[in-house]
Amino acid sequence: MDKNMFCFQCEQTIGCSGCTGNSGVCGKTADTAKLQDELTGALIGLARAVDSTTAVSKKTSQVIIEGLFTTVTNVNFDNASIESMIQKVRAEKERLAPDCSKCQSPCGKTDEYDMQQLWNADEDTRSLKSLILFGIRGMAAYAYHAAVLGHEDDEVNLFFCEALFKIGYEENTETLLSTVLKVGEINLKCMALLDKANTETYGTPEPTEVTLTVEKGPFIVVTGHDLKDLQLLLEQTSGKGINIYTHGEMLPAHAYPFLKKFPHLKGNFGTAWQNQQKEFDHLPAPILYTTNCLMPPKSSYADRVFTTEMVAFPGTVHIDEKKDFTPVIEKALELGGYKEDQILTGINGGTKVTTGFGHAAILSHADTVIKAVKSGDISHFFLVAGCDGAKPGRNYYTEFVKQAPSDSVILTLACGKFRFNDLDLGEIGGLPRLMDIGQCNDAYGAIQVAVALADAFECSVNELPLSFVLSWYEQKAVCILLTLLHLGIKNIRLGPSLPAFLSPNILNFLVENYGIGPITTPEEDIKTLQSGCVQ
């Protein structure tokens, strides 16, 4: 392949315009980027073969969801794996529409879609189609996790096909704009589906204190998002003298009753994904990557990296669908772990964090919360949430939380919380001021809390003393943002920089209709955002 690429789907893209040349900031090569484009084009071709009047088959849906998930940032850096996925997509299209490429029908679109058509489109069309594409890529990750637990939704599955088709062949700006907002609508259903899958399988999350200390002896670090993989690993390591530690977005697993019953699920190691190369350097334990957030491993620990599901990296051991974690277990026993307990800390020096304040946990104290707001004990809620990343400027979120008024409550979720989740902010009325709702998909829970409060105070969500201060990095943040816009939530602050794929016209539309804006300084944003209808 020639050594040119174009990618601007993540927040760290070069110059806030796009990664070009031989490699991207995330670490993928131009060859990998081109294969991901080829995979996307094949998926658009597959979507054309789906009968839009009927439910999509389970097999077709699985292929589409896996294909989209493969192209999310920091998931798959392995060209052979991506090529295999491309062939899987083509085989499925051939199954649905035999000899499509030889067809002489007037549709004229038997070839796979060439992504250069999208990247070279006029900037507004490119912007809208990119919002759709990156949104459904993020949504595919949530649909994948739900499907692993046996939960699917026909409307969600059919929409993937509708969205892919419009990315390829729709040119009407109004239709594309309505599809952008529909991504948010369908993603809300998808997050609700995953919430149901997680709670029905593992129980309702409970507020849980999690230590950052790593005990001596063999251990395994599990990163990513997939609770099923963690469950299977816990079962296979039971009684083997190996402790399990979560990392990054896997932290909220400690709050689920079913998973908490395993005594060797000990605590959390490290912080967010972008610190892996520092935190995993010479780690005396293997790391299991279950979903996205894979940083290209350094040579000092590459031999102890294991991948599973859609995650892949050249030269690492991949655990296939049989889910036999024996290689990971053997590596843990071989390395032996630390010789003495390691008292580790978060970014701010804390030795423990708390998670598990899902919507059920918070709403179980709804009377206390409502009373505290009415009495003036709680002046404001700030949802400070989203992805973390390495780009300068993200210390804004730490400072925002530190400077938030002492009578305000901080709700958080996703890996951006590692900037401040080890801070002790105290309590209001017996409730902690800092509440970790969970993973990025648990934005659904934050929405449920907001809607319940709005109902209680008989006002809209936008009239509540509730402000959204979001950080973004990759495509799951995109679909969550679109869900908030679908719900009509306004005055969101987004950073550390605005997406490169927003054209000036589309950005102006978001500003004029939703009041979305970039973060400025913690002091100025706190001052601006403190307003609401509740007295």
Side-chain angles (χ1 to χ4, degrees):
M1 292 187 178
D2 65 66
K3 298 297 182 180
N4 284 312
M5 66 176 288
F6 176 75
C7 182
F8 62 173
Q9 71 173 359
C10 84
E11 188 268 337
Q12 291 183 170
T13 191
I14 293 175
C16 291
S17 59
C19 291
T20 58
N22 296 328
S23 64
V25 173
C26 68
K28 70 182 176 186
T29 65
D31 286 352
T32 302
K34 284 180 167 293
L35 283 171
Q36 290 183 348
D37 275 357
E38 186 177 342
L39 172 56
T40 304
L43 287 166
I44 292 172
L46 173 57
R48 282 194 59 82
V50 174
D51 183 350
S52 61
T53 64
T54 61
V56 186
S57 73
K58 183 173 182 178
K59 182 177 180 180
T60 302
S61 295
Q62 181 180 355
V63 171
I64 290 174
I65 289 168
E66 288 181 358
L68 286 168
F69 193 1
T70 296
T71 61
V72 171
T73 302
N74 293 87
V75 170
N76 196 313
F77 295 79
D78 186 74
N79 289 355
S81 173
I82 300 171
E83 288 171 345
S84 177
M85 190 72 235
I86 292 170
Q87 295 308 315
K88 191 174 182 178
V89 172
R90 288 172 176 164
E92 183 61 13
K93 181 183 178 183
E94 179 66 19
R95 187 182 73 84
L96 295 179
D99 297 322
C100 177
S101 61
K102 302 174 184 177
C103 176
Q104 300 300 314
S105 90
C107 84
K109 295 188 174 68
T110 57
D111 293 334
E112 292 174 357
Y113 182 74
D114 181 358
M115 290 295 286
Q116 290 303 310
Q117 295 181 55
L118 173 53
W119 307 142
N120 294 325
D122 73 84
E123 61 179 4
D124 290 342
T125 299
R126 183 176 75 165
S127 184
L128 290 169
K129 289 189 175 185
S130 294
L131 277 167
I132 297 168
L133 175 60
F134 302 155
I136 63 172
R137 283 177 174 175
M139 187 168 69
Y142 299 147
Y144 182 91
H145 296 314
V148 165
L149 297 176
H151 287 66
E152 298 182 67
D153 184 279
D154 288 343
E155 185 178 10
V156 171
N157 291 340
L158 189 58
F159 179 71
F160 283 121
C161 298
E162 175 188 337
L164 284 165
F165 183 87
K166 288 182 177 176
I167 292 165
Y169 307 111
E170 181 60 66
E171 301 301 327
N172 181 275
T173 300
E174 290 186 5
T175 302
L176 289 172
L177 183 58
S178 67
T179 305
V180 166
L181 295 178
K182 190 172 180 180
V183 173
E185 175 189 354
I186 301 300
N187 183 59
L188 182 61
K189 293 179 180 291
C190 193
M191 289 194 297
L193 183 71
L194 181 52
D195 180 80
K196 181 180 180 182
N198 285 338
T199 55
E200 287 189 356
T201 305
Y202 301 112
T204 301
E206 306 165 343
T208 303
E209 187 175 274
V210 182
T211 181
L212 304 183
T213 294
V214 177
E215 297 179 10
K216 65 180 180 181
F219 67 98
I220 298 170
V221 174
V222 186
T223 189
H225 303 72
D226 202 290
L227 300 180
K228 181 68 173 181
D229 283 325
L230 178 61
Q231 173 199 337
L232 295 173
L233 182 64
L234 286 167
E235 291 171 349
Q236 292 181 36
T237 52
S238 182
K240 288 184 168 60
I242 299 173
N243 291 328
I244 306 297
Y245 292 86
T246 56
H247 172 270
E249 284 268 54
M250 198 62 84
L251 167 65
H254 291 274
Y256 286 93
F258 180 89
L259 299 175
K260 287 171 67 174
K261 74 179 184 178
F262 291 94
H264 59 302
L265 178 60
K266 290 289 186 176
N268 190 74
F269 174 87
T271 52
W273 66 272
Q274 78 280 357
N275 298 319
Q276 289 174 18
Q277 293 181 333
K278 176 182 177 181
E279 294 175 346
F280 293 166
D281 194 23
H282 301 292
L283 186 72
I287 309 105
L288 176 65
Y289 291 81
T290 67
T291 56
N292 63 311
C293 303
L294 167 67
M295 282 281 284
K298 294 171 62 176
S299 60
S300 60
Y301 66 89
D303 66 327
R304 49 206 81 176
V305 168
F306 296 82
T307 61
T308 191
E309 303 293 353
M310 307 318 301
V311 190
F313 193 86
T316 61
V317 176
H318 187 77
I319 306 299
D320 63 19
E321 62 275 5
K322 295 179 182 178
K323 296 297 180 182
D324 180 358
F325 291 112
T326 298
V328 191
I329 294 169
E330 290 177 344
K331 179 62 73 171
L333 294 172
E334 172 194 333
L335 294 170
Y338 293 113
K339 297 186 182 301
E340 301 294 338
D341 290 357
Q342 302 293 305
I343 302 175
L344 306 178
T345 66
I347 288 176
N348 302 287
T351 58
K352 58 186 179 183
V353 294
T354 302
T355 189
F357 287 95
H359 56 96
I362 295 177
L363 294 178
S364 70
H365 296 282
D367 291 344
T368 301
V369 173
I370 293 168
K371 182 178 179 181
V373 173
K374 288 184 174 180
S375 67
D377 292 337
I378 295 177
S379 67
H380 208 86
F381 297 88
F382 294 103
L383 179 68
V384 186
C387 313
D388 206 356
K391 196 172 184 178
R394 289 182 180 269
N395 60 328
Y396 162 93
Y397 298 95
T398 308
E399 291 304 313
F400 188 101
V401 170
K402 287 181 176 179
Q403 295 179 35
S406 59
D407 58 355
S408 66
V409 171
I410 307 296
L411 305 175
T412 191
L413 53 87
C415 64
K417 62 175 169 272
F418 284 101
R419 294 275 171 172
F420 50 79
N421 69 337
D422 62 324
L423 291 170
D424 184 0
L425 299 184
E427 297 183 344
I428 298 178
L431 297 174
R433 284 190 56 225
L434 177 60
M435 299 186 191
D436 174 16
I437 296 175
Q439 295 182 335
C440 56
N441 53 279
D442 290 313
Y444 172 77
I447 291 168
Q448 298 310 301
V449 171
V451 170
L453 289 174
D455 288 345
F457 289 109
E458 298 181 344
C459 65
S460 71
V461 171
N462 288 315
E463 293 172 313
L464 286 170
L466 167 66
S467 300
F468 294 76
V469 184
L470 307 181
S471 56
W472 83 283
Y473 172 70
E474 42 89 335
Q475 296 75 64
K476 287 183 288 183
V478 175
C479 64
I480 290 172
L481 176 63
L482 296 181
T483 293
L484 297 177
L485 298 183
H486 156 71
L487 293 169
I489 293 173
K490 297 184 177 181
N491 301 318
I492 295 169
R493 293 294 178 268
L494 183 64
S497 60
L498 295 179
F501 48 82
L502 290 180
S503 68
N505 286 335
I506 302 305
L507 179 58
N508 287 338
F509 173 84
L510 296 178
V511 171
E512 292 173 4
N513 289 274
Y514 298 97
I516 193 169
I519 59 173
T520 59
T521 66
E523 298 86 352
E524 185 62 32
D525 287 344
I526 289 171
K527 180 180 178 181
T528 302
L529 293 171
Q530 277 191 296
S531 62
C533 77
V534 179
Q535 303 294 326

